[in-house]
Amino acid sequence: MDTKQRILDEALTLFSEKGYANVFVGDIAERVGIKAPSLYKHYKSKKAIFDAIIDKMNESFAEQAKAMQINGSDAVADAEIYKGLPEEQLLKLGRQFFLYFLHDDYNQKFRKMLTLEQFHDEDLAKIYSRIYVDDPLSYQGMLFGFMVTSGILKTDNVQIMTLHFYAPIYYLLTICDREPDREPEALKLLDDHIKQFDRIYGREN
Amino acid sequence: MDTKQRILDEALTLFSEKGYANVFVGDIAERVGIKAPSLYKHYKSKKAIFDAIIDKMNESFAEQAKAMQINGSDAVADAEIYKGLPEEQLLKLGRQFFLYFLHDDYNQKFRKMLTLEQFHDEDLAKIYSRIYVDDPLSYQGMLFGFMVTSGILKTDNVQIMTLHFYAPIYYLLTICDREPDREPEALKLLDDHIKQFDRIYGREN
DNA sequence: GTCTATAAGAAGATAGAC
DNA sequence: GTCTATCTTCTTATAGAC
């Protein structure tokens, strides 16, 4: 029963649904099962709760990014995995990846919260871009770089190939965040996208 | 000096920067050069201002969409234009298109406002998806369909080809909305994207 | 249509008992 | 650490003079 942590969890849920300004300290407290004033024994202000969420997110994403770079081996290993992959398995992997980021609580809520707050200060803008632009393009780019070297993929511009893979996936994710009912449609497009990508950049081209 | 219109303009500017909840009626009034209570002679509530903005936007976008469908000729004509286009000119057109949507006041502010409000109710979510998903994919798809028929482009899945063209452009647009400083980087990627797209789906493939 | 004055209520935060 | 009571400030909105 770590109240301090529960406050963060409930606050994140509310922030991701309504945005910071539309969530009241009382709402958070109510979900935690305490009264608003009690909450101030754990955090000194509403803003402090928000900042704590951002700090935690930064920590966990930095950890993840670091692990991926230190084990540059990760990308090498991943590239190896894709090497012999028949299209069907590639589709399955892509779909798993997509569904994980779409439905994983932590990921979805952070993403939606950042979407709603991204214009409110420069730091948040930078964090958004790091998590949803720079880091994925950098990791995917590394992975695809290995795959090009291995002859699994073919291109003379890895960066754009990576953009061509990632941008449609990101786009479909934002559709589902906004209208969860469109998930089946998005999954169909995801499948077709990966198939087409494989045909364009894949071995048999 | 149409005060009623000026209220909408200033409100849109503020909503697009801070989000609805962070804008106060007094802020809007101040920008218009009147006091808050005077504003209530023009609109009966803050929400009514927001709704009026949405209504106007719906109107103007519907007009635009209708004009494009009635003149399905538009897409045919557009397709004709692209027919003889050397790559350099195609790039120029793509860049112009991108910069228009990025910098045009009306477009940028609506886009940012909707981004911030998209999760707050289902209607707004649908409007966002219509404007930034369904309409552009539908129009571009029609255009590309003609271009495939004319032999300008080659694919067996026009829908995915359209996604491959549009998603990266949308993605780069969101980056610039969030971090305007990254515009040069985005423009470089836009160029490379269009070049690569042309190589993948274009005549010489 | 614009103003000043003000009502009415919401929301963040503190005091102090338990 | 949680509560009730309360303070303070902010915000929407109305009343009524000009």
Side-chain angles (χ1 to χ4, degrees):
Chain A
M1 295 300 203
D2 186 351
T3 305
K4 197 156 182 171
Q5 181 57 44
R6 292 211 48 224
I7 291 171
L8 291 191
D9 292 343
E10 298 298 343
L12 173 60
T13 301
L14 288 165
F15 290 156
S16 73
E17 286 165 359
K18 311 183 181 209
Y20 180 81
N22 294 304
V23 174
F24 313 126
V25 176
D27 298 340
I28 302 169
E30 191 182 19
R31 290 233 191 175
V32 174
I34 58 178
K35 300 291 179 183
S38 308
L39 192 145
Y40 286 86
K41 296 285 177 185
H42 301 278
Y43 295 94
K44 80 169 217 289
S45 69
K46 182 184 170 188
K47 183 65 169 22
I49 297 173
F50 182 82
D51 291 344
I53 291 173
I54 294 290
D55 286 351
K56 268 217 161 182
M57 168 164 57
N58 266 331
E59 227 176 280
S60 78
F61 275 98
E63 236 171 66
Q64 202 180 308
K66 205 176 172 184
M68 278 176 170
Q69 281 176 350
I70 289 179
N71 310 347
S73 53
D74 260 29
V76 179
D78 283 1
E80 284 305 315
I81 289 170
Y82 286 103
K83 198 160 189 170
L85 234 51
E87 191 185 73
E88 187 123 349
Q89 295 242 356
L90 188 72
L91 283 172
K92 211 170 154 186
L93 267 173
R95 197 182 265 247
Q96 266 175 6
F97 181 85
F98 181 82
L99 288 172
Y100 170 72
F101 279 104
L102 178 58
H103 288 139
D104 178 70
D105 236 45
Y106 210 61
N107 274 284
Q108 189 184 44
K109 286 172 183 170
F110 279 149
R111 193 170 57 238
K112 292 179 79 168
M113 185 178 87
L114 276 183
T115 298
L116 297 182
E117 308 303 330
Q118 64 182 319
F119 302 141
H120 296 162
D121 82 72
E122 276 191 24
D123 286 347
L124 293 174
K126 279 186 188 145
I127 290 171
Y128 190 109
S129 284
R130 178 160 46 74
I131 294 179
Y132 301 111
V133 179
D134 302 317
D135 282 353
L137 287 182
S138 154
Y139 180 74
Q140 287 277 355
M142 192 164 63
L143 177 64
F144 284 162
F146 289 127
M147 292 170 79
V148 168
T149 305
S150 311
I152 303 170
L153 296 175
K154 237 177 66 180
T155 187
D156 53 5
N157 191 333
V158 176
Q159 191 185 27
I160 294 299
M161 177 175 71
T162 308
L163 183 69
H164 281 175
F165 184 76
Y166 180 70
I169 293 176
Y170 169 87
Y171 184 62
L172 294 171
L173 211 53
T174 65
I175 294 173
C176 292
D177 280 342
R178 185 166 50 245
E179 298 183 279
D181 288 353
R182 294 181 74 165
E183 184 177 322
E185 173 196 346
L187 284 176
K188 171 76 171 83
L189 285 171
L190 177 70
D191 271 14
D192 289 350
H193 160 57
I194 294 175
K195 273 187 218 160
Q196 185 92 332
F197 179 86
D198 191 45
R199 239 173 282 145
I200 290 169
Y201 291 107
R203 305 142 267 221
E204 62 260 65
N205 191 18
Chain B
M1 297 300 204
D2 186 351
T3 305
K4 197 156 181 171
Q5 181 57 45
R6 293 211 47 224
I7 291 170
L8 292 191
D9 292 344
E10 299 298 344
L12 174 59
T13 301
L14 288 165
F15 290 156
S16 72
E17 288 166 358
K18 312 183 183 207
Y20 179 83
N22 294 305
V23 174
F24 313 127
V25 177
D27 299 340
I28 303 169
E30 192 181 18
R31 290 233 191 174
V32 174
I34 58 178
K35 301 290 179 184
S38 307
L39 191 145
Y40 286 86
K41 295 286 178 184
H42 301 279
Y43 295 95
K44 79 170 218 289
S45 68
K46 180 185 171 186
K47 183 65 169 21
I49 297 173
F50 182 82
D51 290 343
I53 291 173
I54 294 290
D55 285 351
K56 269 216 161 184
M57 167 165 59
N58 267 330
E59 230 175 275
S60 78
F61 276 99
E63 239 171 64
Q64 200 180 308
K66 206 177 172 184
M68 279 176 171
Q69 280 174 349
I70 289 179
N71 311 348
S73 53
D74 261 29
V76 179
D78 284 0
E80 285 304 316
I81 289 170
Y82 287 102
K83 199 161 187 170
L85 235 50
E87 192 184 74
E88 188 126 345
Q89 295 242 355
L90 188 73
L91 283 172
K92 210 170 153 188
L93 268 173
R95 197 183 263 247
Q96 266 174 8
F97 181 85
F98 181 81
L99 287 173
Y100 171 72
F101 278 105
L102 178 58
H103 291 308
D104 178 71
D105 236 45
Y106 210 61
N107 273 285
Q108 189 185 44
K109 286 172 182 169
F110 278 150
R111 192 170 57 239
K112 291 179 79 169
M113 186 180 85
L114 277 183
T115 298
L116 297 181
E117 307 303 328
Q118 64 182 321
F119 302 142
H120 296 160
D121 81 72
E122 276 191 24
D123 286 347
L124 292 174
K126 278 186 188 144
I127 291 171
Y128 190 110
S129 284
R130 179 159 46 73
I131 295 179
Y132 301 110
V133 179
D134 302 317
D135 282 354
L137 287 182
S138 154
Y139 180 74
Q140 287 278 355
M142 192 165 62
L143 177 64
F144 284 161
F146 289 127
M147 292 170 79
V148 167
T149 305
S150 310
I152 304 170
L153 296 176
K154 240 177 65 182
T155 186
D156 54 3
N157 191 334
V158 176
Q159 191 184 28
I160 294 299
M161 178 174 69
T162 308
L163 183 69
H164 281 176
F165 183 76
Y166 180 71
I169 293 177
Y170 169 88
Y171 183 62
L172 294 172
L173 212 52
T174 65
I175 294 173
C176 292
D177 280 341
R178 185 166 50 244
E179 298 183 277
D181 288 354
R182 295 182 73 165
E183 186 178 319
E185 173 196 348
L187 284 176
K188 171 76 172 83
L189 284 171
L190 177 71
D191 271 16
D192 289 349
H193 160 56
I194 294 175
K195 275 186 217 160
Q196 184 94 330
F197 180 85
D198 190 45
R199 239 172 281 145
I200 291 170
Y201 292 108
R203 304 141 268 220
E204 61 259 64
N205 191 17

